[in-house]
């Protein structure tokens, strides 16, 4: 039984697609399958275009400067993706809820998945737990799934790079001209 297929996995898929946008419908299909999505229809260039529009809207949520703006932007996405929840075992993988209409192409499926998944992530973990990496020059998005809710970096690599930079700034003597 799936308790919540729209939570952490959906928001991590959104971050992955936003950080490295797929160039073709085939790449989009491959990356969705790798994330565990069951694709019921062939993925088309229209699905790719719809996904790019979805990611543009989603990144505005990521970059929102306050929680009310973030909630308003996400609520707009949720309203556009609205459908009655449905109990389904479409892939024979166990009963779970879909927050979308049945037999949709991948573009609208991802729109609903990303909208609902992001809402569940932010409501369940905290409205601040979706952001860009704190390292100057890194623009990657991440969903903070840490236990403490204080993640600042997209990866251990960026965290280490920033720690080295801070260390060097402390130990390098300032020289004046």
């Amino acid at each position: 039984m799936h308790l919540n297929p729209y939570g952490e996995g959906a928001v991590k898929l959104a971050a992955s697609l936003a950080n490295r946008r797929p160039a073709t419908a085939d790449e989009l299909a491959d990356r969705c399958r790798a994330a565990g999505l069951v694709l019921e229809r062939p993925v088309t260039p229209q699905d790719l275009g719809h996904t790019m529009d979805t990611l543009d809207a989603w990144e505005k949520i990521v970059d929102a400067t306050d929680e009310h703006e973030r909630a308003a932007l996400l609520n707009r996405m949720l309203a556009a993706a609205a459908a009655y929840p449905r109990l389904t075992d479409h892939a024979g993988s166990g009963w779970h809820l879909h927050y979308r209409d049945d037999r949709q192409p991948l573009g609208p499926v991802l729109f609903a998945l990303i909208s609902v998944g992001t809402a569940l992530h932010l409501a369940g973990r905290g409205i601040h737990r979706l952001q860009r990496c704190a390292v100057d020059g890194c623009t990657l998005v991440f969903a903070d799934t840490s236990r403490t809710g204080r993640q600042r970096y997209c990866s251990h690599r960026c965290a280490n790079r920033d720690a080295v930079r801070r260390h060097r700034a402390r130990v390098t003597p300032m020289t004046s001209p």
Side-chain angles (χ1 to χ4, degrees):
M1 179 169 89
H2 299 278
L3 295 179
N4 182 7
Y6 285 85
E8 184 176 315
V11 77
K12 284 185 172 183
L13 174 61
S16 172
L17 293 172
N19 290 336
R20 188 174 58 85
R21 291 191 176 210
T24 66
D26 288 340
E27 181 186 352
L28 175 61
D30 291 343
R31 291 181 58 198
C32 287
R33 278 189 209 97
L37 266 67
V38 175
L39 304 181
E40 298 173 330
R41 309 172 89 179
V43 179
T44 67
Q46 291 79 13
D47 292 321
L48 180 64
H50 195 263
T51 301
M52 294 304 115
D53 292 342
T54 298
L55 294 173
D56 289 343
W58 187 77
E59 285 193 72
K60 289 177 183 171
I61 294 165
V62 171
D63 295 330
T65 56
D66 75 17
E67 62 188 43
H68 295 287
E69 177 188 8
R70 178 171 277 183
L73 291 168
L74 184 52
N75 282 336
R76 274 190 227 133
M77 280 186 77
L78 288 167
Y84 293 105
R86 289 161 174 69
L87 189 62
T88 181
D89 185 22
H90 64 92
S93 60
W95 292 101
H96 57 281
L97 284 175
H98 275 185
Y99 294 90
R100 59 176 170 81
D101 293 326
D102 290 334
R103 295 176 293 282
Q104 292 288 311
L106 183 61
V109 167
L110 284 177
F111 186 83
L113 183 74
I114 289 169
S115 300
V116 174
T118 301
L120 289 171
H121 175 76
L122 296 178
R125 292 193 178 253
I127 195 82
H128 66 284
R129 294 183 82 164
L130 182 63
Q131 58 197 6
R132 293 196 185 268
C133 186
V135 170
D136 287 339
C138 182
T139 60
L140 295 182
V141 176
F142 66 91
D144 181 355
T145 58
S146 68
R147 188 177 57 77
T148 62
R150 293 189 182 130
Q151 184 176 342
R152 295 181 53 225
Y153 305 102
C154 66
S155 65
H156 291 297
R157 180 176 177 227
C158 275
N160 289 340
R161 187 171 51 170
D162 199 45
V164 168
R165 181 198 56 80
R166 288 191 319 270
H167 173 74
R168 287 181 179 158
R170 282 192 308 269
V171 298
T172 304
M174 295 289 222
T175 57
S176 55

